[in-house]
Amino acid sequence: MFGFLRTAISTKLLRPFTAPQQHQHAAVTDAVRGMKVRSSVKLINKAMDLVAGKPVFLEEIVAKGADFIGQSARVTGTLHSYSPATESAVLVEGQSALVVDTRLLGVVKYHVGQTYQFIGVLSPPTAVSTDTNIDDVRCATDVQLHARVSRVVDGLDMVVYRRAIMELRTADIL
């Protein structure tokens, strides 16, 4: 009986000395790893002069396209068309459209009708143009996006996404 009591007391007394040190060590290791990753990412971003793409809606680009030239942007919309010859795509959201230059992305198989998100720099359009004649849709003619990142975001609820971006803007986070 006393052996059980002695084991229980010694286990309870030793637990504060052993367990927190193990957890504390793991936390310090994770923090150091995280700092190394973040600092290396910062160095890469400084070396490449990459700026995070701000979420911008296509109708904002159509309305004030010249104001966005030179800015890094993140745009989301449905792929209306893609031309492998010119490596350009037309992205549509609601009643607005934008030409996206995909030359920096390499070989990617695009599917018309899927929802895509592109991150890149907005600049004046190149001489090569894409057919942007879409019924009831206004296309940004004075600017195009030179994409450096693309991803499929099918299933993204655009109403909720739009509301979230607007709330982040009002909170002055974006």
Side-chain angles (χ1 to χ4, degrees):
M1 177 172 172
F2 292 110
F4 171 75
L5 183 60
R6 185 178 48 185
T7 307
I9 290 174
S10 65
T11 306
K12 285 189 175 191
L13 290 175
L14 291 177
R15 193 174 293 154
F17 296 110
T18 57
Q21 290 175 350
Q22 292 171 352
H23 294 294
Q24 184 180 9
H25 176 36
V28 169
T29 305
D30 291 343
V32 170
R33 285 186 190 148
M35 289 189 315
K36 287 181 181 176
V37 170
R38 279 186 241 122
S39 63
S40 64
V41 169
K42 286 180 184 177
L43 291 175
I44 291 170
N45 284 346
K46 283 184 180 180
M48 298 177 68
D49 291 331
L50 291 179
V51 178
K54 282 188 166 182
V56 181
F57 301 114
L58 294 183
E59 71 254 9
E60 295 171 337
I61 296 173
V62 169
K64 301 183 260 181
D67 295 343
F68 289 107
I69 290 179
Q71 292 185 11
S72 184
R74 178 176 20 152
V75 296
T76 306
T78 304
L79 187 67
H80 178 267
S81 62
Y82 178 72
S83 170
T86 60
E87 293 182 315
S88 60
V90 176
L91 204 60
V92 176
E93 179 195 3
Q95 302 300 315
S96 305
L98 176 69
V99 176
V100 179
D101 181 1
T102 61
R103 285 182 281 173
L104 296 175
L105 300 177
V107 179
V108 178
K109 188 172 183 179
Y110 294 102
H111 300 281
V112 173
Q114 280 190 318
T115 306
Y116 285 89
Q117 192 169 66
F118 292 96
I119 301 173
V121 177
L122 291 161
S123 61
T126 58
V128 179
S129 65
T130 305
D131 181 27
T132 56
N133 295 328
I134 308 167
D135 294 337
D136 301 327
V137 174
R138 292 180 44 214
C139 187
T141 56
D142 54 348
V143 68
Q144 77 176 23
L145 183 77
H146 290 279
R148 65 176 182 258
V149 177
S150 72
R151 66 179 179 164
V152 177
V153 290
D154 276 345
L156 178 68
D157 187 345
M158 289 301 289
V159 174
V160 174
Y161 176 74
R162 177 179 293 278
R163 193 176 320 143
I165 296 300
M166 296 307 281
E167 287 295 323
L168 288 171
R169 285 181 182 176
T170 57
D172 209 20
I173 296 173
L174 290 178

